[in-house]
């Protein structure tokens, strides 16, 4: 999150509703119904529009790229918050120029990259993503057997909540996330109920509260994620992921019965932008960092209360040895 990404089942971590929600850029609200940037028509202007997904790691990518594009390369940068699948449509149409973190959408890759060629693959962003089920380390240390899915039913009683009724609770985030969890619970015959916290932020708050009280919990979670720095968690071993399982799940999502894959996270560009020869396109192609770097920025935003711009600024000033290699050669 190296392997061939064969299916959206299990790779699209945080995902797809059909509504486009627009976020405020530094200079106002970006308008998805118009051109990619309100500055694009101004003669001699340099502008770029970046898609921002809702999770904080993706926001960190964009914040750092935005800061460097503006302060090192002289661009005006618009940011537009778009859910995962609609972002591909916007990218194909040139309403955004780049997606900096994609967790795998084979249908969209086939349609836009291979068939229409309106989107160009931009390479990996350097971060590997993985989704799984996790329990707190303090509980796993006391009950190591809980880290094997075959033993989960033994612990269901300890994980009951008012929302899960007489079953154990498997906590998920937003109902919009594309997950395999309901199918896994059914197909592995687990006495659990998937309960949605409502959002990533709400899920984090719940995990932190459980950890503060040293209570057991079982949660859908993913890396990279800054929360591991504050609440150490251990992954539950699910049945081994295989391409055959993924292919079966592509045909019938309700049949999935194996673990989530590990996914190298990818960048994608509008093809006209990729071929533009601009310093922005060259810079974004070079953009590549690590899980630890992303988590550093993410924790500053989500836990320390910094704005995305301020978190990016602090990281940039601290790590010139990393980002100077991203700048296009003059």
């Amino acid at each position: 999150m190296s392997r061939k990404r064969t299916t959206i089942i299990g790779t699209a971590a945080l995902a797809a509703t059909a509504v486009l929600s627009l976020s405020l850029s530094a200079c106002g609200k970006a308008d998805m119904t118009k051109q990619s940037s309100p500055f694009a028509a101004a003669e001699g202007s340099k502008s770029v529009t970046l898609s921002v997904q809702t999770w904080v790691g993706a926001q960190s990518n964009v914040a750092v790229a935005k800061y460097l594009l503006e302060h090192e390369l002289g661009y005006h940068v618009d940011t537009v918050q778009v859910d995962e699948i609609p972002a591909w449509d916007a990218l194909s149409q040139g309403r955004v120029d780049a997606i900096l973190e994609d967790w795998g959408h084979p249908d969209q890759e086939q349609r836009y990259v291979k068939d229409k060629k309106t989107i160009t693959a931009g390479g990996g962003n350097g971060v590997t993503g993985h989704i799984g089920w996790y329990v707190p380390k303090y509980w796993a240390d006391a009950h190591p057997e809980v880290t094997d899915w075959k033993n989960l039913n033994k612990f269901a009683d300890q994980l009951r909540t008012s929302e899960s009724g007489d079953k154990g609770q498997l906590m998920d985030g937003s109902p919009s996330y594309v997950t395999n969890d309901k199918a896994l619970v059914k197909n592995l015959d687990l006495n659990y109920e998937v309960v949605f916290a409502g959002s990533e932020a709400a899920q984090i708050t719940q995990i932190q509260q459980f950890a503060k009280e040293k209570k057991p919990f079982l949660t859908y979670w993913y890396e990279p994620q800054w929360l591991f720095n504050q609440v150490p968690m251990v992954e539950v071993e699910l049945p081994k992921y295989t391409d055959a399982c993924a292919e079966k799940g592509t045909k019938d999502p309700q049949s999935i019965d194996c673990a989530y894959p590990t996914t190298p996270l990818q960048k994608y560009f509008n093809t006209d932008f990729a071929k533009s020869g601009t310093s922005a396109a060259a810079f974004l192609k070079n953009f590549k960092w690590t899980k630890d770097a992303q988590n550093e920025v993410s924790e500053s935003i989500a836990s320390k209360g910094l704005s995305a711009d301020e978190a990016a600024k602090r990281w940039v000033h601290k790590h010139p040895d990393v980002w100077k290699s991203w700048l296009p050669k003059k």
Side-chain angles (χ1 to χ4, degrees):
M1 316 186 187
S2 161
R3 57 168 292 281
K4 181 179 180 183
R5 292 180 294 116
T6 58
T7 174
I8 187 172
I9 302 300
T11 61
L14 307 157
T17 61
V19 179
L20 301 182
S21 62
L22 307 183
S23 67
L24 293 177
S25 71
C27 294
K29 187 175 289 185
D31 188 349
M32 288 291 290
T33 67
K34 300 184 185 296
Q35 53 201 345
S36 59
S37 165
F39 292 81
E43 185 176 354
S45 68
K46 296 167 63 177
S47 64
V48 61
T49 303
L50 302 178
S51 173
V52 189
Q53 290 92 337
T54 58
W55 58 96
V56 70
Q59 294 164 8
S60 297
N61 301 326
V62 172
V64 170
K66 176 178 181 289
Y67 185 89
L68 289 168
L69 282 164
E70 291 179 339
H71 291 84
E72 294 293 326
L73 298 176
Y75 277 81
H76 171 85
V77 179
D78 283 309
T79 60
V80 182
Q81 185 169 305
V82 193
D83 289 319
E84 280 188 288
I85 292 176
W88 281 78
D89 302 327
L91 188 63
S92 174
Q93 296 162 14
R95 292 183 285 162
V96 298
D97 296 313
I99 295 171
L100 299 185
E101 181 170 309
D102 183 83
W103 285 62
H105 292 89
D107 290 346
Q108 282 67 33
E109 290 176 49
Q110 182 65 46
R111 181 181 304 124
Y112 293 127
V113 179
K114 298 175 183 177
D115 296 341
K116 292 188 175 183
K117 296 181 171 52
T118 52
I119 292 177
T120 297
N125 70 7
V127 179
T128 296
H130 178 65
I131 304 167
W133 293 359
Y134 290 85
V135 295
K137 186 176 184 300
Y138 54 78
W139 194 41
D141 287 345
H143 303 282
E145 64 272 27
V146 78
T147 61
D148 185 336
W149 72 270
K150 295 176 184 176
N151 298 319
L152 284 177
N153 280 343
K154 300 176 184 177
F155 295 91
D157 288 351
Q158 296 185 44
L159 296 171
R160 288 178 181 174
T161 67
S162 58
E163 291 84 1
S164 66
D166 61 353
K167 298 181 179 181
Q169 174 176 282
L170 168 58
M171 182 166 54
D172 274 34
S174 168
S176 71
Y177 294 175
V178 178
T179 83
N180 303 331
D181 290 353
K182 288 186 177 181
L184 284 167
V185 166
K186 177 179 180 292
N187 295 329
L188 299 180
D189 196 25
L190 296 175
N191 188 31
Y192 283 79
E193 183 75 23
V194 176
V195 176
F196 294 97
S199 67
E200 182 187 62
Q203 192 176 8
I204 288 171
T205 298
Q206 186 63 76
I207 290 172
Q208 290 173 325
Q209 186 61 36
F210 280 135
K212 182 179 180 180
E213 298 173 6
K214 286 292 188 287
K215 289 184 176 180
F217 63 84
L218 173 66
T219 188
Y220 163 103
W221 205 233
Y222 34 83
E223 56 177 354
Q225 229 296 333
W226 62 269
L227 187 62
F228 284 107
N229 296 343
Q230 297 185 5
V231 182
M233 289 181 264
V234 179
E235 186 173 4
V236 173
E237 185 177 351
L238 293 170
K240 185 177 179 180
Y241 172 87
T242 65
D243 287 347
C245 174
E247 289 166 6
K248 178 181 68 173
T250 299
K251 296 175 183 177
D252 178 11
Q254 300 306 313
S255 71
I256 201 80
D257 58 2
C258 64
Y260 292 90
T262 297
T263 307
L265 306 184
Q266 302 295 308
K267 300 173 292 184
Y268 288 94
F269 306 143
N270 172 270
T271 295
D272 289 341
F273 173 75
K275 293 180 177 178
S276 65
T278 61
S279 57
F283 166 79
L284 292 175
K285 185 172 179 60
N286 292 339
F287 178 91
K288 189 173 184 179
W289 59 349
T290 65
K291 177 181 73 174
D292 289 343
Q294 187 189 89
N295 281 343
E296 182 179 341
V297 179
S298 296
E299 187 170 12
S300 294
I301 297 169
S303 181
K304 298 180 180 178
L306 297 184
S307 68
D309 286 343
E310 181 60 27
K313 178 181 178 180
R314 293 191 184 188
W315 186 89
V316 165
H317 288 181
K318 187 177 176 181
H319 298 285
D321 55 316
V322 178
W323 59 260
K324 283 188 176 181
S325 64
W326 305 342
L327 300 177
K329 296 180 181 179
K330 296 181 180 179

